[in-house]
Amino acid sequence: MRPLRLLAAEFPNLACEQLTATDKASSKPKKLHLKPSEGAADSHTEQPPLSPTSSQRLPTLPNNLTVAEERPAKRSHSSTSTHPHPTGDHETDEEVAFSPAYDALVENEPKGKMSEMSDDDFLSGGSDDDFMDESMDSDFEEEDGTQYLDDKDDKPQKKAYEVDFTVLTEGEIKKAQSDAIEESCAILALTPENAAVLLRHFKWNKDRMIEQYMDGSQKLLEEAGVDLTGSNKPELKTVPGFMCDICCEDEDGLQTFSLRCNHRYCADCYRHYLSQKIKEEGEAIRIQCPSDGCKVLVDPKSITMLAGVGVLSRYYELLNRTYVEDRENLRWCPAPNCEFVVDCPVSQKQLHEIVPTVFCTCGHHFCFGCGSNDHQPCPCGLVKKWLKKCEDDSETANWISANTKECPKCQSTIEKNGGCNHMTCRKCKHEFCWVCMGPWNEHGTSWYNCNRYEEKSGIDARDTQAKSRASLERYLHYYNRYANHEQSGKLDKDLYIKTEKKMTMLQSASGMSWIEVQYLDAASKVLQQCRQTLKWTYAFAFYLQRNHLTTIFEDNQKDLEMAVEALSELFEKPTDQLANIKVEMMDKTAYVSNRRVILLDTTAKGLQDGTWEFTVEF
Amino acid sequence: MALPKRIIKETERLVAEPVPGIQAIPHDDNLRYFDVSIHGPAQSPYEGGVFKLELFLPEDYPMTPPKIRFLTKIYHPNIDRLGRICLDVLKANWSPALQIRTILLSIQALLGAPNPDDPLANDVAQRWKEDEPGAIATAREWTQTHATP
């Protein structure tokens, strides 16, 4: 929700920029930042009427590219720029006035264009430095933003990348089980114990259970280990002249136990056996009679009677665990020591069209499909492939084939690290030409200049090498960026502590309150989130076919990445400057966050509609 | 720790009524450690061989299965180069009602009926499936070289 809430803060900025850009010659964006003072008031008042049409003036794709290239130049102006920023002075009614414009954009504009416009906006945001005196207003923005969000509530708020889920506690899990048991009891006229055993046997698939129960109950009951007769109440007995086959004890008055199969053992051995099965082997519903080859299951009643407190609590825990594992719509939160369960209707079959990221109450967010950390927008199948590829040594081989050749005579692998094309194999002393791989003595007098370059064997060799090199470079391109964000993500663990320290320092330096410095925390959270997303966009992009959708995706990706870098740069500024860039930072935070939403949303929609074309099956 | 009654009784019975073709003698200094020898079953490539094994009863015995390993080299699809044995009752299908003697009988039976479909030694199992007479000949050869006293 956060991105939407902050949208309002960004928006006026955006509308203003569109206006100024069209007022001035749009081909000279730099001017706009250098002489902006006149436009400020006008743009401010004219914003609402202009915004809805602003989409028509979106730069086309090539323009966008140019703009992006100009960015560094623009940024360098940022310190001297006097372009006024409207963020500080908008009021609630203005916010509302903007929303139709935004709606129109969201509804009518292809995402690619949307991103371009926002990109422009981002640029201007990056160069506005001098509204820091208005920074106090910014707290209202968020409130206004919330309101703005409420205004839009008549439309569905769920984004394409979001999934429905609920977080359940252990109590709720138990309740769900007892509810299911109760219901089955009523339908099949079974005791709760038997119903529970039967349900577990059918992995809590009530319908299938009832169906099969109706078909032929006796065999089914035996299979599941249900005893309907009720004659064998679990009890401890002393049997005269008994010797336990497990421990060989035979003293009088020995307590013994057996299931309906009459394999009788002493109570101590039975307890020991159950504790071994439950505590060491983690078995709960499939514990068989200790006798060799006997398939009779130890029923819960007997376990309750025999097992000690410690073993029993573990037993119940295991029952709960089996319940969660048996249900496809449930998954434990994988965070350490977290005991919540997430209930999400996304099935394994849907995983190629949706990336179900869920947020546990403990704060951990993870993929419901595979249990690993959030990897939106990349689907689970691609994540698996990508990680395998990264781990594989195949890329080493790829490197070798791209960077080395083999000696034509002794087949030693050679990497040429400089010098001329006259190679002498260190191993077999064979002399050959690096270009055509032919023997050097055939080169006659054309030393150091292979004139056999066009010969077929040479071309073939070059082609194979070029292909291999291209694929390697492609992989490395994506991998480096992926690894970069992963590394940054790892450093983010320290970032949290750093942020807190910064916030404290800023408080004492600027006299702002704790609430007022929260924007740093917000920025750091958004940064982390975006890095995580960016990381996986590279894995995703690696497997995409080259087509126009991919181009749009990469544009979106680039926008987000640049925005993230810009925000990151602001974030790293020394404390004494931080107070002055508060509004700018909040703007950027909102912008970055919005870019992420757009990227995820378009990607998720594409996955759902099956419009992405991948280079691999997954 | 005192030796459980179960182990004492089993050992007594192993000595008093030995299983034909199987010998299990506990070490004097460690009564949980047994020297075992099994005669290769008749009509098998291991016929005539005497195979040495070591057997150890872990702390939890009989709740957990004994640990057993071949010491004599043997060419068999379910026994690997280190002498480890792939046998269900030594793992998941162990029951505390099983005993040393029953386990050793199972191993003897395994020698008589190799199961190349559930292999431990992949190369041996593959040969067993592709060229059974050849594999059996090798097994016989190995029995001659390594297991004949």
Side-chain angles (χ1 to χ4, degrees):
Chain A
M1 283 300 98
R2 185 158 191 84
L4 274 174
R5 195 146 64 96
L6 292 169
L7 253 181
E10 177 206 4
F11 203 75
N13 185 6
L14 181 149
C16 165
E17 197 48 43
Q18 285 303 318
L19 173 74
T20 359
T22 42
D23 278 351
K24 319 247 160 201
S26 51
S27 56
K28 293 181 187 171
K30 273 188 204 169
K31 270 201 172 169
L32 172 147
H33 300 287
L34 291 171
K35 300 201 300 174
S37 44
E38 350 134 40
D42 293 352
S43 68
H44 185 55
T45 47
E46 275 175 43
Q47 273 163 28
L50 263 166
S51 313
T53 56
S54 61
S55 57
Q56 292 159 9
R57 300 189 192 111
L58 292 175
T60 50
L61 200 77
N63 279 353
N64 177 41
L65 290 175
T66 341
V67 168
E69 280 158 20
E70 281 176 33
R71 181 161 310 178
K74 285 185 181 181
R75 200 181 280 160
S76 66
H77 287 292
S78 64
S79 53
T80 53
S81 164
T82 50
H83 182 53
H85 196 282
T87 318
D89 20 12
H90 45 73
E91 273 133 45
T92 318
D93 53 342
E94 256 185 59
E95 298 292 343
V96 178
F98 286 132
S99 66
Y102 179 69
D103 288 356
L105 280 172
V106 170
E107 278 165 15
N108 302 331
E109 283 305 308
K111 293 298 176 187
K113 285 200 172 180
M114 172 87 185
S115 71
E116 288 148 27
M117 188 181 76
S118 307
D119 189 47
D120 244 3
D121 155 51
F122 162 68
L123 290 177
S124 64
S127 10
D128 297 327
D129 248 2
D130 52 337
F131 45 86
M132 57 277 261
D133 42 331
E134 296 160 350
S135 59
M136 298 303 286
D137 283 27
S138 49
D139 279 334
F140 301 132
E141 280 173 24
E142 282 206 42
E143 279 179 33
D144 290 350
T146 321
Q147 221 172 343
Y148 166 78
L149 178 74
D150 291 340
D151 289 342
K152 286 178 61 175
D153 262 354
D154 49 326
K155 301 202 313 176
Q157 286 294 300
K158 209 179 127 199
K159 293 275 177 191
Y161 63 89
E162 286 168 339
V163 288
D164 290 318
F165 64 90
T166 39
V167 180
L168 304 173
T169 61
E170 207 183 332
E172 283 165 318
I173 292 292
K174 283 184 179 150
K175 173 103 184 7
Q177 290 178 69
S178 57
D179 285 353
I181 291 170
E182 224 167 84
E183 204 181 312
S184 312
C185 281
I187 296 172
L188 302 180
L190 290 166
T191 61
E193 289 84 13
N194 283 341
V197 170
L198 214 50
L199 272 171
R200 290 196 178 105
H201 181 71
F202 279 98
K203 306 205 162 194
W204 299 89
N205 187 335
K206 223 166 18 197
D207 299 336
R208 205 161 67 89
M209 174 188 98
I210 291 169
E211 196 181 297
Q212 295 210 5
Y213 184 84
M214 296 305 182
D215 283 355
S217 56
Q218 196 47 49
K219 193 170 162 255
L220 177 71
L221 290 174
E222 262 170 40
E223 235 176 68
V226 179
D227 177 30
L228 271 190
T229 58
S231 60
N232 258 339
K233 283 258 156 64
E235 57 171 340
L236 293 176
K237 267 191 205 162
T238 54
V239 178
F242 172 81
M243 190 196 78
C244 174
D245 272 352
I246 295 178
C247 62
C248 300
E249 291 294 342
D250 53 2
E251 62 197 56
D252 290 340
L254 194 66
Q255 297 258 297
T256 68
F257 180 82
S258 89
L259 296 167
R260 62 175 189 279
C261 54
N262 283 322
H263 293 118
R264 190 163 285 280
Y265 301 100
C266 81
D268 270 351
C269 282
Y270 235 107
R271 274 190 204 109
H272 200 149
Y273 174 70
L274 290 179
S275 134
Q276 168 75 22
K277 285 283 170 190
I278 293 168
K279 288 205 120 167
E280 306 296 326
E281 290 168 36
E283 288 260 14
I285 60 169
R286 300 247 121 243
I287 304 177
Q288 296 174 341
C289 162
S291 177
D292 176 39
C294 179
K295 300 279 181 217
V296 175
L297 296 177
V298 187
D299 55 296
K301 256 189 188 167
S302 306
I303 292 179
T304 323
M305 187 192 74
L306 284 166
V309 186
V311 177
L312 264 186
S313 70
R314 173 79 178 146
Y315 174 68
Y316 291 130
E317 199 185 310
L318 286 169
L319 285 186
N320 258 342
R321 191 176 288 185
T322 339
Y323 174 72
V324 174
E325 276 155 14
D326 281 350
R327 303 289 308 254
E328 210 198 1
N329 62 321
L330 296 180
R331 188 186 268 277
W332 292 100
C333 169
N337 298 324
C338 178
E339 289 185 349
F340 291 112
V341 173
V342 175
D343 182 345
C344 176
V346 174
S347 76
Q348 293 290 315
K349 282 177 213 135
Q350 290 171 281
L351 286 181
H352 63 280
E353 56 186 36
I354 195 157
V355 188
T357 297
V358 293
F359 298 83
C360 179
T361 313
C362 73
H364 183 63
H365 51 285
F366 62 98
C367 169
F368 184 82
C370 63
S372 46
N373 285 349
D374 171 28
H375 53 70
Q376 274 176 344
C378 197
C380 300
L382 287 185
V383 169
K384 217 173 143 196
K385 269 198 176 357
W386 173 256
L387 290 178
K388 187 159 186 302
K389 186 169 177 65
C390 293
E391 272 174 23
D392 255 10
D393 266 351
S394 64
E395 293 312 322
T396 311
N398 220 340
W399 186 91
I400 289 171
S401 69
N403 292 284
T404 64
K405 290 180 182 181
E406 278 169 9
C407 166
K409 200 173 166 203
C410 72
Q411 314 304 328
S412 307
T413 308
I414 299 167
E415 182 194 0
K416 182 166 151 48
N417 56 4
C420 69
N421 289 328
H422 180 181
M423 306 296 288
T424 307
C425 176
R426 194 179 290 174
K427 223 168 160 188
C428 66
K429 311 287 177 218
H430 176 66
E431 291 179 43
F432 63 96
C433 167
W434 185 252
V435 179
C436 67
M437 302 302 283
W440 190 253
N441 51 24
E442 285 177 15
H443 279 64
T445 51
S446 60
W447 305 107
Y448 306 109
N449 180 19
C450 178
N451 59 1
R452 307 173 68 213
Y453 198 70
E454 294 310 321
E455 244 177 56
K456 202 184 168 299
S457 62
I459 293 171
D460 283 353
R462 254 188 7 264
D463 276 359
T464 350
Q465 192 172 9
K467 228 184 250 169
S468 159
R469 191 180 295 258
S471 102
L472 174 68
E473 271 173 11
R474 184 176 129 76
Y475 168 73
L476 286 179
H477 168 91
Y478 290 105
Y479 180 74
N480 283 337
R481 281 155 186 80
Y482 166 87
N484 229 339
H485 286 296
E486 180 163 73
Q487 187 56 29
S488 307
K490 276 181 190 149
L491 296 174
D492 280 345
K493 277 184 193 136
D494 314 326
L495 191 68
Y496 181 76
I497 304 161
K498 235 168 74 186
T499 311
E500 212 162 18
K501 215 164 118 194
K502 260 190 174 172
M503 285 161 76
T504 323
M505 272 160 63
L506 186 56
Q507 259 182 296
S508 54
S510 66
M512 282 200 265
S513 74
W514 182 245
I515 304 283
E516 282 171 315
V517 294
Q518 285 302 313
Y519 72 95
L520 277 182
D521 188 47
S524 109
K525 280 194 181 123
V526 166
L527 271 181
Q528 289 178 42
Q529 207 178 22
C530 289
R531 287 214 187 273
Q532 177 84 2
T533 304
L534 275 171
K535 177 175 124 180
W536 287 110
T537 58
Y538 284 107
F540 185 73
F542 177 75
Y543 291 110
L544 281 179
Q545 299 270 22
R546 288 244 57 104
N547 55 29
H548 66 285
L549 280 175
T550 307
T551 316
I552 293 175
F553 175 80
E554 284 178 347
D555 279 348
N556 275 332
Q557 184 189 38
K558 185 186 67 191
D559 286 341
L560 177 60
E561 177 139 59
M562 286 185 169
V564 164
E565 287 312 318
L567 179 60
S568 194
E569 199 180 304
L570 285 186
F571 193 82
E572 293 297 327
K573 288 211 164 142
T575 322
D576 52 338
Q577 290 176 35
L578 275 180
N580 298 338
I581 52 168
K582 175 169 177 181
V583 174
E584 192 185 345
M585 237 173 124
M586 294 185 69
D587 267 6
K588 281 242 169 70
T589 308
Y591 176 76
V592 165
S593 179
N594 188 26
R595 293 255 33 105
R596 178 173 169 271
V597 169
I598 289 168
L599 180 78
L600 289 182
D601 201 39
T602 41
T603 318
K605 272 185 193 144
L607 275 178
Q608 266 163 28
D609 304 341
T611 46
W612 295 115
E613 285 171 39
F614 296 103
T615 51
V616 286
E617 294 272 316
F618 67 93
Chain B
M1 199 190 117
L3 211 58
K5 202 165 179 176
R6 151 92 183 232
I7 296 181
I8 296 170
K9 287 225 170 184
E10 266 202 75
T11 312
E12 278 171 4
R13 191 154 164 245
L14 274 171
V15 176
E17 324 160 23
V19 197
I22 295 176
Q23 205 178 29
I25 303 156
H27 274 208
D28 287 339
D29 53 348
N30 185 353
L31 293 171
R32 286 177 176 270
Y33 190 90
F34 291 74
D35 282 327
V36 179
S37 50
I38 295 180
H39 289 260
Q43 270 100 53
S44 81
Y46 311 102
E47 188 176 5
V50 178
F51 297 89
K52 295 220 172 301
L53 296 89
E54 57 178 356
L55 182 150
F56 179 71
L57 303 175
E59 188 70 21
D60 284 339
Y61 180 83
M63 292 304 157
T64 55
K67 298 188 185 308
I68 308 180
R69 189 170 80 91
F70 268 84
L71 296 173
T72 309
K73 247 169 102 81
I74 181 166
Y75 193 78
H76 189 287
N78 309 103
I79 299 162
D80 74 359
R81 274 179 25 233
L82 299 176
R84 294 175 300 194
I85 307 161
C86 176
L87 189 61
D88 59 345
V89 286
L90 284 177
K91 289 169 189 126
N93 285 354
W94 168 254
S95 144
L98 287 170
Q99 300 181 5
I100 299 173
R101 77 169 50 229
T102 47
I103 284 297
L104 292 180
L105 275 169
S106 300
I107 293 173
Q108 199 178 33
L110 185 70
L111 293 188
N115 178 11
D117 291 318
D118 181 19
L120 187 60
N122 274 324
D123 48 336
V124 181
Q126 201 177 348
R127 172 117 188 269
W128 214 278
K129 287 177 93 165
E130 285 165 3
D131 172 24
E132 198 176 325
I136 288 176
T138 309
R140 197 165 278 136
E141 220 172 87
W142 282 37
T143 308
Q144 283 289 323
T145 346
H146 305 290
T148 313

